[in-house]
């Protein structure tokens, strides 16, 4: 959500998102600097939360099938498509900030978020600032940090703080809010 003077920094046609609802973005102009693109994401779980239903997982499965991507898991498609978007923005010299619920951790074998980081050079801001911090969960019924903020190295010096709030600090959510 953008308010105040920030709204005036939106580039023409600088708002959009993924047709499957996996992310939305905004491109912002900056004085004498390259644009910054802020992307908010949601990656579905490994399996649908309801076997029968119309969850985001099912909707993405249907969308992938309609694209002829029958053998592609929604999470595999998410990482591949997000990586492609990030690389396209990097070719246009955009600074990038990505945050949201990855439902994944960089510490897991075959981690999609780790693949994204390795293929794009993005930095996990929390891990960068607090490399020796004790592990913690960002989902109330979870055991790992699955909510993350990543960025390109060119904006890392401008990020002076990052924190995870207590549960239900801002809204009635089973995820911790992240503040920068």
């Amino acid at each position: 959500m953008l308010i105040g003077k920030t709204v005036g920094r939106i580039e023409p046609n600088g708002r959009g998102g993924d047709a499957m609802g996996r992310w939305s973005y905004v491109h912002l102009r900056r004085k004498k600097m390259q644009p910054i693109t802020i992307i908010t994401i949601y990656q579905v779980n490994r399996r649908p939360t309801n076997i029968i239903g119309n969850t985001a997982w099912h909707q993405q499965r249907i969308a992938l099938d309609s694209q002829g991507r029958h053998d592609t898991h929604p999470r595999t498609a998410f990482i591949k498509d997000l990586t492609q978007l990030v690389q396209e923005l990097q070719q246009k010299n955009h600074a990038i900030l990505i945050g949201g619920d990855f439902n994944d951790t960089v510490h897991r074998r075959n981690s999609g978020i780790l693949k994204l980081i390795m293929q794009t050079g993005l930095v996990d801001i929390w891990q960068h600032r607090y490399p020796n911090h004790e592990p913690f969960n960002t989902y109330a019924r979870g055991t790992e940090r699955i909510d993350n903020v990543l960025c390109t190295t060119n904006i890392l010096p401008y990020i002076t703080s990052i924190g995870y709030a207590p549960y239900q600090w801002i809204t009635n959510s089973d995820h911790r809010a992240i503040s920068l």
Side-chain angles (χ1 to χ4, degrees):
M1 177 170 67
L2 299 175
I3 58 173
K5 293 179 182 180
T6 309
V7 174
R9 293 199 173 273
I10 299 173
E11 288 192 342
N13 301 313
R15 295 176 292 172
D18 173 63
M20 289 187 235
R22 302 174 294 180
W23 58 77
S24 60
Y25 62 84
V26 62
H27 305 302
L28 301 175
R29 290 187 301 266
R30 299 187 298 162
K31 290 182 182 178
K32 298 180 183 179
M33 298 177 83
Q34 74 272 37
I36 184 170
T37 297
I38 301 170
I39 306 169
T40 57
I41 63 91
Y42 170 73
Q43 178 174 220
V44 296
N45 290 310
R46 284 177 177 67
R47 292 174 292 287
T49 53
N50 297 315
I51 304 281
I52 300 172
N54 197 24
T55 65
W57 194 99
H58 291 98
Q59 293 170 21
Q60 289 178 26
R61 175 74 271 144
I62 291 166
L64 290 167
D65 287 345
S66 73
Q67 295 173 3
R69 297 168 76 181
H70 305 287
D71 296 330
T72 305
H73 191 280
R75 290 171 62 89
T76 303
F78 173 86
I79 293 299
K80 180 180 179 188
D81 297 346
L82 183 57
T83 299
Q84 181 179 342
L85 172 66
V86 169
Q87 290 172 337
E88 288 170 5
L89 292 168
Q90 288 173 323
Q91 289 175 354
K92 295 177 182 177
N93 203 30
H94 281 232
I96 301 167
L97 185 71
I98 301 176
D101 181 358
F102 282 90
N103 275 311
D104 196 3
T105 177
V106 296
H107 303 292
R108 198 175 278 154
R109 187 176 178 179
N110 296 321
S111 166
I113 189 173
L114 184 57
K115 288 177 188 172
L116 173 67
I117 288 169
M118 297 303 291
Q119 292 177 359
T120 60
L122 295 173
V123 175
D124 178 336
I125 300 169
W126 177 265
Q127 188 69 39
H128 176 78
R129 288 190 63 91
Y130 306 106
N132 299 317
H133 196 284
E134 291 289 321
F136 62 97
N137 62 328
T138 59
Y139 171 60
R141 294 182 297 277
T143 59
E144 301 171 304
R145 188 170 57 92
I146 62 171
D147 302 293
N148 289 286
V149 180
L150 311 174
C151 72
T152 47
T153 57
N154 54 356
I155 60 171
L156 199 53
Y158 300 100
I159 300 172
T160 58
S161 67
I162 182 170
Y164 286 87
Y167 293 105
Q168 301 186 9
W169 180 58
I170 293 177
T171 185
N172 186 15
S173 175
D174 53 4
H175 288 260
R176 295 179 189 270
I178 306 171
S179 64
L180 294 176

